[in-house]
Structure formats: C-alpha cells, structure tokens
Amino acid sequence: MTTTTAPLGELSKEEIERYSRHLILPEVTLHGQKKLKAASVLLIGAGGLGAPVSMYLAAAGVGRIGMVDFDVVDASNLQRQVLFHTADVGRSKLQAARSRLTGINPHVVIDTHEARFSAANAMELVDPYDIVVDGTDNFPTRYCVNDACVMLNKPNVYGSIFRFEGQATVFDPRPQAHGPCYRCLYPDPPPPGMAPSCAEGGVLGILPGVIGMIQATETIKLILACGQSLTGRLLRFDAMAMTFKSYKLRRDPTCPICGDNPTIKKLIDYEQFCGMRGEESTTIVQEQSLIPAMTVQQLKAKLDTAEHFKLIDVRQRHEYEICHIPQAQLIPLDDLPAHLDELDADTVYVVHCKLGGRSASAVQLMRQAGLNAINVTGGIHAWATQIDSTMATY
C-alpha cells in the first residue's frame, strides 16, 4: 500500500481509516486525533518503559516522537523490551526502534537522539517537545529530567520499575496544573548502592509493559486534555498481589526547584548530587583508601598463580546456580554478618557479586570487622564478558 501523509494537523484518508476507533469516541473525535497528530513527545530511554510507551504512542498517532538513548540492544533486554527482535542484538537501540515504530505507523515522525541525557544537553533536547516521558533507570537522570521539565514548563510523565513493583505519576509544573515535581516526592537521592538497579535486583518482564502503558495513557490524556490526570497522585502497582494503590502527592512550597522561592536556577552536576562519579554510578561509590578493588584480570592472575586467598561470592543462591566461579564460596550479603566471626583476620578475602555494588558493601562491612577484603570491580558479569566467554551471563 502506498502511504500518503496529510499536512500537519490534517488527516489523510488512510489516517482516518487507521484511527477510526478513536474518531468515534466522543472524548477524541476528529478534533482530538488532529491534536494527537500535532503533538510532540520526548521519551528519555528506549528500554523497558520506553518500549511500550513508544509503540502505543506511535500506534495512537502522536505526530512526533523523540527518543533519547545511547545503548545497543543486548540479549538480556529481550525479556522485557518488546520493541526489539532477536535479530536486533548488537544494533543501536534507536536505529532498531525507528525501524519498528515506522513499521507500526509510517505517518509518525521519529526523532532519534543518540546521546546520554545529561545537564549538558537536557534543555536543548526537552525544549522542542510538548511532553516528556521519563523511562530512565537511574537517579541522576531522573533528577535532571525533572529539573529541565520544571525550568521549561513541560509535563513529565514518570514511571519506575523494580522486581515485581512499579509506580507512575505525572509531574506537571504548568500553571493550569501547578502540581508537585519529582523533588517534592524525593527531596534527596538514596545513598549510592542502597537502591539496586534492575540489572542487580531483576525485574519481571511484564512489569514495564504495565507501567509503560499507564505512562502512554497519561500522555495521550494530557494531549487530549481529557480525563483525570495522575498529577498529584502516585500510582503503585504490585504484580505479586495484583493490586494498585494510589497515594496523594502535594507540591512542597519549599522545594528548591518548583517551590515558592526556588534556589536552583540552572541544571547542576547530577552525578555529584547523587553521590556518584562517572562509571561508578552503576555501583556503590568506592573510595580506594577505604574499599580496595581489583579488576577481573587481576583476579584471574591470582587464581592462575594459586596465590593464597579466599574468593567470596555474596550474591543470592539462585544467582549462584545460574553461573559461578568454581573457586568461590557462596555467602549471600544478607547472611554475611552472621558469618563474620568465622572468617580469619590473617586471610585475604576477594569478594564479588554481579556488578560490584553488593560486594563493595560486603567489603566495607568486612573491613569494619578487621578483615582484609578486596572488591572485584564489575563482578561476575565482567568475568563472563572479559575472562570466560563460555560462562552464561544474566
């Protein structure tokens, strides 16, 4: 079929046929569908949340969709990031996303921004779009998205997921909404390492579909100006209990970005604000004087020379069963305090987990107990990708 696209704000015959089930809704009609076509939405992140959001916004006929991401498709993404196919592994996420979304709806314009969203580019990226959808998975980016949206007066459709639970809301700073922002909900970030990422803690593959579709629904309602927005409410979903709970959110008049007398006038260093530095943002911050660390290459050298030390794996048993280094003794982090008295102060302990965050916490605990412990940077994931390519990764 040859596709013809009508001028912006107008619908072609093909588009009228495509959106016919929208057009007969009194809350949408032809006028509302034209509003969808004229709208622009920026998605921060093309991962678990960005995948369903982008697909449903494209199918709904949102005229311009921007996507910000800098990653490539990994095999571990396919369990939940339904935007991608197995054949996309190793391919740029945004290139794969553009192909898929254009296939869903050729009438939609897809902007791709191959970059890490940061204070350096946030204002430039957010400014051209009507609405921002936050599909990120780390605190520095969430605070950066929030602050840019408040400064530019843009609604921020927020979602987050972890293990079996997710939450969503709309942070809308516009005068007509005057709602709370992300800082009103979370004035301060958690200490580094206290909130594990999905890569550390896991996530039910279906969960981002549920939360992402809530985000897509709220985005479309904002464009159509219909229904009751989640502004001022936080919706939490528990997949194990199959329950939704709604909590009231209130704008904090003392909030440093959206309060009555804001003190934040420009974007800041969000890695520093969240207590992170560079690549350490995926794990706990390691002060080398307090938490010594070694690479997986150094660990292999120690194993090859049969140097006297003990290797400790602080992951959970079900993770250990997926893959493990044969010389490692399993002591899950939660069980470690009960085993400290059994460890020898004269022995060198080398400690690893999946990525390095939990093991850094374990090393800190062990050193406080007078033990000689060293963290393995990158954990077993680095071992599998850099040392033993036959080992399964997860």
Side-chain angles (χ1 to χ4, degrees):
M1 181 180 71
T2 302
T3 301
T4 59
T5 301
L8 186 64
E10 297 297 326
L11 301 182
S12 66
K13 177 178 179 294
E14 293 171 4
E15 289 173 294
I16 289 175
E17 293 173 350
R18 176 182 288 265
Y19 308 127
S20 61
R21 299 303 186 271
H22 269 178
L23 303 182
I24 59 177
L25 288 171
E27 295 83 0
V28 183
T29 72
L30 183 63
H31 176 68
Q33 193 63 48
K34 289 181 179 180
K35 289 172 69 175
L36 289 171
K37 183 174 181 177
S40 59
V41 177
L42 180 67
L43 307 183
I44 314 296
L49 294 172
V53 173
S54 62
M55 293 169 70
Y56 273 94
L57 293 186
V62 173
R64 182 182 175 198
I65 299 173
M67 302 185 75
V68 184
D69 207 296
F70 61 94
D71 207 354
V72 298
V73 180
D74 184 80
S76 66
N77 300 150
L78 302 178
Q79 160 256 15
R80 65 199 177 282
Q81 298 179 18
V82 294
L83 188 60
F84 307 118
H85 299 289
T86 302
D88 292 322
V89 172
R91 187 182 181 192
S92 158
K93 280 190 174 181
L94 293 191
Q95 291 178 13
R98 181 195 289 275
S99 299
R100 183 75 184 278
L101 297 175
T102 301
I104 291 174
N105 190 347
H107 302 285
V108 172
V109 176
I110 306 297
D111 301 334
T112 55
H113 306 281
E114 294 260 7
R116 183 190 295 271
F117 190 89
S118 69
N121 59 18
M123 301 294 277
E124 179 182 357
L125 288 170
V126 169
D127 188 52
Y129 295 89
D130 301 323
I131 298 170
V132 173
V133 177
D134 184 352
T136 62
D137 61 357
N138 65 86
F139 290 101
T141 310
R142 287 173 183 163
Y143 281 100
C144 185
V145 171
N146 176 79
D147 292 0
C149 286
V150 173
M151 291 178 184
L152 292 170
N153 215 31
K154 308 281 186 178
N156 172 13
V157 183
Y158 164 79
S160 69
I161 52 174
F162 182 66
R163 293 179 60 82
F164 297 93
E165 299 181 2
Q167 58 186 23
T169 188
V170 176
F171 300 117
D172 193 345
R174 297 176 299 174
Q176 62 266 41
H178 205 49
C181 77
Y182 183 75
R183 285 180 182 269
C184 297
L185 178 59
Y186 300 112
D188 300 300
M194 291 298 292
S197 67
C198 290
E200 280 276 356
V203 60
L204 182 68
I206 299 166
L207 183 65
V210 176
I211 301 301
M213 283 189 283
I214 291 172
Q215 289 179 281
T217 302
E218 289 300 300
T219 301
I220 289 174
K221 285 163 56 183
L222 285 171
I223 295 169
L224 296 175
C226 71
Q228 183 179 357
S229 169
L230 274 178
T231 300
R233 290 183 294 145
L234 179 70
L235 187 65
R236 284 185 170 169
F237 172 60
D238 182 339
M240 295 296 276
M242 194 51 68
T243 57
F244 287 90
K245 293 183 179 180
S246 182
Y247 302 85
K248 288 185 178 181
L249 298 181
R250 291 181 173 83
R251 175 179 164 272
D252 181 1
T254 66
C255 175
I257 185 73
C258 77
D260 297 339
N261 298 291
T263 56
I264 298 176
K265 305 292 186 179
K266 62 181 181 179
L267 301 184
I268 62 175
D269 183 338
Y270 293 93
E271 297 284 342
Q272 184 182 57
F273 173 68
C274 293
M276 301 172 180
R277 301 193 306 264
E279 294 181 357
E280 294 172 340
S281 63
T282 59
T283 63
I284 190 169
V285 174
Q286 298 180 26
E287 292 293 345
Q288 293 300 319
S289 60
L290 297 177
I291 306 180
M294 68 170 59
T295 65
V296 289
Q297 287 80 9
Q298 292 170 319
L299 172 59
K300 184 177 187 302
K302 290 174 76 70
L303 291 171
D304 289 345
T305 58
E307 185 176 334
H308 181 66
F309 71 98
K310 288 189 177 180
L311 182 61
I312 304 295
D313 185 334
V314 294
R315 297 175 298 155
Q316 294 297 311
R317 178 165 294 279
H318 66 271
E319 296 177 275
Y320 182 86
E321 291 171 352
I322 295 171
C323 61
H324 62 270
I325 301 172
Q327 297 90 333
Q329 176 187 358
L330 176 66
I331 306 178
L333 179 59
D334 291 344
D335 298 337
L336 181 60
H339 291 273
L340 290 176
D341 290 343
E342 303 169 9
L343 304 180
D344 184 2
D346 295 326
T347 299
V348 175
Y349 294 96
V350 177
V351 188
H352 82 83
C353 61
K354 180 182 179 181
L355 297 173
R358 283 174 287 175
S359 54
S361 297
V363 167
Q364 188 174 39
L365 181 65
M366 293 169 73
R367 293 184 72 82
Q368 288 172 350
L371 299 168
N372 186 359
I374 303 171
N375 189 34
V376 178
T377 303
I380 201 164
H381 181 78
W383 180 270
T385 56
Q386 299 176 34
I387 303 298
D388 184 0
S389 60
T390 65
M391 179 179 287
T393 56
Y394 64 101

